Each structure stands twice: as structure tokens, then as C-alpha cells.
Amino acid sequence: MENLSYGKGSHKLAFFCGVSSDLSNLNFDNLDLKFLNIDSPELLELIYSQFKNPSDVLKEFIRFKIKVGAYGNDLQVLIPKKFDAPRNEQDYFLVRDILKVIFPSDVDIRFFSFYNYENEKLVWNYGAEYQFKQTYANTNYIKLPKFENEYLKFYKDVNQLINIYLKNINQLTYIHSTINAYVGSYLQNSKAMEFVCLCIALESLVEGNQELNYRIRRNVAVLIGSNVDTSRTISNNVNYLYDLRSRIVHSGIYSDEKIDEYLPYLRNLVSVTILELFKHSIPTLTELNLTLTEKGFGDYKSLSENYVENYTSSVRSDVLNTKLKKIK
């Protein structure tokens, strides 16, 4: 294990739930963070070699595992690669947002564990718990393929997306409200409000308020449709989605079954939209809308010069070609 140097100040570990796979193959080196399973030998070695009170740390881990019950062994711990400076809590939530965008799921931070540096050793202080809200969607838990040869491209693509996200997040400020609405959809107390939040995410990408429905469905269809047929399907689906949105917001007369049918598609639609925005990295919302206006269905690759095909292509084909049924 690498030798660690310590800086004074408050340090923390973040415990993620909503995961049923090992996330250690995902690369967050740009944030000086990495994932380990709560029972991984590397994490246990770290505790015994670097903490002054390892028994207190392990008791806290056991408490966390008992708290989440059957999923305790699936807890993934996000740790600093080097304990040489206090960690910014926002970095941990940034990782949470990235995981939710790439893998629409209930993945979230459930616990923080806080510790300090004292006399060349780390000392555990206390833990804090966050509420974990389950949406009970089909994609409730992140489940990744095992790290074998046939999956090398999968991990390469996902890590490429993580790198693109981190490279552009501070420059593409107009995407922030889209991401906030998307992540906020997971925090709502009703499926209807989850649905409305996701619609707001799409609306944040359109300038002005004239012909909003038409412009949203056209923009999204051009941005993420891989061909004319797929773009047409997306455009029709968004029209149905906004019919339901109107019923929820204006009349209050809508079907819970229709929300259950539409919500997974809408969540994936917003997820892929955000990823495509990062991949094109068009600098302003105005320029984005002008570019989308000039292009047509199936032109998604030509929206920018730096576009690269990767993981989102499979998401696009598996999810976005689904034809929703119109509300009767």
C-alpha cells in the first residue's frame, strides 16, 4: 500500500448505497478520489495502518451495514487517494451526480464518516447519516459488468464520460440547472413531482417561452436521435410526455399508471441529453439553440467538431427507440 502523508484539518469518507457492484474500476483520479467496497482488503488495510482508533472505525462501518440491512455489503466507500488535505464535500456530491447522470438509478450518499489528523495518525470522530429515498424504478441499483476482457470497452467508455463531465462542468454553466432538476427528481415525495422535475430539466435548455413544447421536442430529437426514425420517435414521445406534464400541472387529472409507464423513459431521456451536451461541449445556451435550429433529425454527430461515439450510443438504441403509447 502506498505511503500516505497527512494534512491538518477535517477529513471524510462518503458511503454510497444504491449500488450492487464494485465501482473501483471507475476513474475519479481528477478529483483525487476512488471507490472501494466497504469489505475490501485495501480499505481494511488502510484503517488498521493509518487510524489511531481502528476499532472505532470498524464499529462505525458495522453500524452503517446494519442500518441499511440486506444491502450493507454493497456499500461503496469513496475515499481520497491521498490523505494529504481536507476534502471538499462538494466533490463527493459531484461524484454522486455523475453516477446518477451516467447510470439513472437511486445511487446516493447514505453516510459520511469524519476524522482528523493527530500526531501522525488519523482519528475517527463521528458519522452522519443522510436519508436514502428509493424510487423503486427498474434501474433502482447500479449493477455493472465484471471487469473482464469483454467489458474493457464499457469501462473505457464510462471513464471517458467521467473525464468529459469533469472537464466541462465548470465551463458549461447552463447545464447546471438541468443537472439540478434531474438530480432533484430523485428527491421528490411523489412520482408526479419526479416527472415534473424531469420536464423542467428539459425546459432549462430552451431559450424563451414561445412554442415551448415544439422547441423542446425538436431540440431533444436533434440532439440525441441517431437517425431520422429515432429522432421522429423521440419527438413523438416528448409530445406525449408533455401532454402528461400539462395534465399534472394544470388539471390534476392524470393516471398514475401512465406516470409509471412514462417516467423511466423520461429519466433516461434527460440522462442521455445531459451526456450529449457534455460530449459536444457547446459553450453557451444561445449557441446550442442556434446550432440545433440549423440542424435536422439524424445530424447529432455534426453538432460539434469534438464529438466521440461511446457508451451513450448503446443507451440511445436500447432506451430511446421505445415508442410510448399516447394518452387516450
Side-chain angles (χ1 to χ4, degrees):
M1 187 172 192
E2 61 184 319
N3 292 325
L4 303 177
S5 60
Y6 300 101
K8 295 181 178 180
S10 177
H11 301 253
K12 58 184 69 68
L13 304 177
F15 295 74
F16 282 68
C17 60
V19 181
S20 57
S21 299
D22 183 359
L23 299 182
S24 61
N25 294 311
L26 302 184
N27 189 335
F28 291 97
D29 286 353
N30 288 341
L31 295 175
D32 192 34
L33 294 169
K34 66 177 180 180
F35 273 107
L36 293 174
N37 184 275
I38 192 170
D39 292 324
S40 69
E42 184 178 350
L43 183 59
L44 294 177
E45 182 183 350
L46 171 66
I47 292 167
Y48 279 108
S49 64
Q50 308 300 331
F51 280 82
K52 186 176 181 179
N53 53 345
S55 61
D56 291 333
V57 180
L58 293 178
K59 286 179 183 178
E60 182 77 337
F61 284 16
I62 293 171
R63 186 176 74 84
F64 290 164
K65 291 172 66 174
I66 292 173
K67 190 77 176 180
V68 299
Y71 298 103
N73 292 329
D74 294 328
L75 283 174
Q76 301 291 303
V77 189
L78 188 61
I79 71 170
K81 296 192 70 175
K82 293 184 178 180
F83 290 78
D84 56 359
R87 299 302 307 173
N88 187 335
E89 192 169 289
Q90 291 179 342
D91 288 345
Y92 291 95
F93 284 103
L94 175 57
V95 172
R96 186 275 310 270
D97 292 353
I98 292 173
L99 291 178
K100 279 188 174 295
V101 170
I102 297 179
F103 309 107
S105 66
D106 289 342
V107 62
D108 213 333
I109 296 174
R110 182 65 188 272
F111 309 102
F112 272 113
S113 187
F114 297 89
Y115 52 96
N116 289 322
Y117 166 76
E118 294 180 10
N119 299 324
E120 306 300 325
K121 283 284 187 177
L122 292 172
V123 178
W124 174 86
N125 289 327
Y126 66 96
E129 179 179 354
Y130 287 75
Q131 183 63 39
F132 175 54
K133 180 182 178 298
Q134 291 180 288
T135 61
Y136 299 100
N138 291 333
T139 53
N140 196 15
Y141 282 80
I142 291 180
K143 186 173 179 61
L144 305 182
K146 292 182 179 179
F147 196 65
E148 299 173 353
N149 288 337
E150 66 260 38
Y151 297 118
L152 288 176
K153 185 178 186 306
F154 170 84
Y155 284 101
K156 180 180 178 181
D157 285 353
V158 171
N159 285 327
Q160 181 185 49
L161 284 173
I162 292 171
N163 184 58
I164 291 171
Y165 195 117
L166 292 172
K167 177 182 176 182
N168 292 320
I169 184 63
N170 291 325
Q171 282 70 44
L172 305 181
T173 56
Y174 66 88
I175 299 180
H176 293 180
S177 58
T178 310
I179 296 172
N180 289 339
Y182 170 80
V183 174
S185 72
Y186 287 97
L187 307 177
Q188 304 307 309
N189 292 321
S190 72
K191 292 180 180 179
M193 289 310 300
E194 288 180 38
F195 192 92
V196 171
C197 280
L198 291 167
C199 289
I200 291 172
L202 296 180
E203 292 158 19
S204 70
L205 298 172
V206 176
E207 288 189 311
N209 53 19
Q210 299 297 319
E211 299 182 315
L212 188 62
N213 185 318
Y214 168 76
R215 292 166 64 198
I216 289 172
R217 57 192 172 96
R218 188 184 186 281
N219 280 6
V220 174
V222 172
L223 179 65
I224 65 179
S226 56
N227 53 57
V228 173
D229 288 339
T230 301
S231 291
R232 285 174 178 165
T233 297
I234 293 170
S235 179
N236 289 334
N237 286 345
V238 173
N239 198 33
Y240 300 157
L241 295 172
Y242 266 77
D243 183 6
L244 179 54
R245 178 203 181 281
S246 180
R247 293 168 186 249
I248 293 172
V249 173
H250 298 297
S251 70
I253 302 174
Y254 57 88
S255 164
D256 288 336
E257 289 77 14
K258 212 62 183 177
I259 293 180
D260 289 338
E261 177 189 342
Y262 284 4
L263 190 56
Y265 181 92
L266 177 56
R267 202 182 295 284
N268 281 280
L269 184 79
V270 177
S271 164
V272 175
T273 296
I274 293 171
L275 291 174
E276 294 299 281
L277 290 171
F278 275 120
K279 288 166 67 176
H280 285 294
S281 63
I282 297 173
T284 68
L285 185 60
T286 298
E287 186 174 342
L288 171 68
N289 278 265
L290 287 173
T291 302
L292 293 173
T293 299
E294 294 169 355
K295 299 293 183 177
F297 287 180
D299 290 339
Y300 73 102
K301 289 184 182 180
S302 65
L303 298 178
S304 67
E305 296 180 354
N306 56 333
Y307 187 81
V308 177
E309 284 282 0
N310 59 19
Y311 170 76
T312 52
S313 302
S314 60
V315 174
R316 183 186 291 111
S317 61
D318 292 343
V319 177
L320 302 182
N321 283 320
T322 301
K323 294 184 178 180
L324 300 179
K325 295 180 180 179
K326 185 177 181 180
I327 299 175
K328 296 181 179 179

